[in-house]
Amino acid sequence: QVQLVESGGGLVQAGGSLRLSCAASGSIFRLSVMGWYRQAPGKQRELVASITSGGYKNYADSVKGRFTISRDDAKKTVYLQMNSLKPEDTADYYCNIYQIETDMNYWGKGTLVTVSS
């Protein structure tokens, strides 16, 4: 069983930065996609960024150039560096791991990011 624990959320002013971390415990297979999603009040959960085992990165258009995703497989951790934050980035941010070998998805409980104007 895989468990994910996010950290790093909080309150920041517009233009500021935050770094989210997601630490995984349990068996993480070599082939996996790690990602960050977010859900604002009254909106659907959306993909923010993802990174494959091979290092391929994908970003939502709304965060391109401002957010950077990275992973450290030795530490079983995925990061999201968020710069130039905007009030519209306010949401609960969720970590996700998709294990390709087992076709299993795992989610963290989320961390709240609030950007004040």
Side-chain angles (χ1 to χ4, degrees), residues 98-114:
Y98 171 62
Q99 304 260 56
I100 295 174
E101 285 102 331
T102 58
D103 192 28
M104 293 288 290
N105 251 315
Y106 300 94
W107 292 91
K109 293 183 178 180
T111 185
L112 178 62
V113 172
T114 303

Side-chain angles (χ1 to χ4, degrees), residues 73 98 117:
D73 288 348
Y98 171 62
S117 57

Side-chain angles (χ1 to χ4, degrees), residues 39-59:
Q39 186 167 18
K43 294 188 177 181
Q44 289 188 330
R45 189 173 296 189
E46 63 175 0
L47 173 68
V48 176
S50 63
I51 182 169
T52 68
S53 302
Y56 177 79
K57 301 176 184 180
N58 183 45
Y59 295 96

